[in-house]
Amino acid sequence: MKTIYDRLNPDILASINADEQRYPFTTKALKFKLRSSECWSQLSVSDVQSIISHSHENFLTLSYQDIVWGDKFLINGD
């Protein structure tokens, strides 16, 4: 089964990677968690908050499905 990292939307992954030089600790910790998780439900609230922060998405524009199921952040169909 693919990990959350493998299933990330390419734009979201690019945004996370772009933050690695400026925020090395939190970005590396997030990538580790994403590579070790297969289901969105394995992520903590803090992990999801970190994804939102590093993706630079406006929290107010996210839907319930985006936060609870990762709809905006994951590639569908995998």
Side-chain angles (χ1 to χ4, degrees), residues 7-23:
R7 295 173 44 223
L8 277 178
N9 177 311
D11 294 334
I12 302 297
L13 183 57
S15 184
I16 292 170
N17 287 331
D19 278 354
E20 191 161 11
Q21 190 170 25
R22 188 167 183 188
Y23 308 106

Side-chain angles (χ1 to χ4, degrees), residues 3-66:
T3 66
I4 296 291
Y5 185 86
D6 298 328
R7 295 173 44 223
L8 277 178
N9 177 311
D11 294 334
I12 302 297
L13 183 57
S15 184
I16 292 170
N17 287 331
D19 278 354
E20 191 161 11
Q21 190 170 25
R22 188 167 183 188
Y23 308 106
F25 178 78
T26 57
T27 305
K28 287 177 184 177
L30 174 60
K31 286 178 159 183
F32 177 80
K33 181 63 177 183
L34 296 175
R35 286 182 176 128
S36 63
S37 302
E38 294 179 347
C39 299
W40 190 262
S41 61
Q42 292 175 322
L43 302 175
S44 69
V45 171
S46 178
D47 296 329
V48 174
Q49 180 213 358
S50 188
I51 293 168
I52 294 167
S53 295
H54 285 290
S55 68
H56 304 281
E57 291 289 332
N58 183 340
F59 185 79
L60 298 176
T61 65
L62 297 174
S63 71
Y64 172 81
Q65 287 82 9
D66 294 333

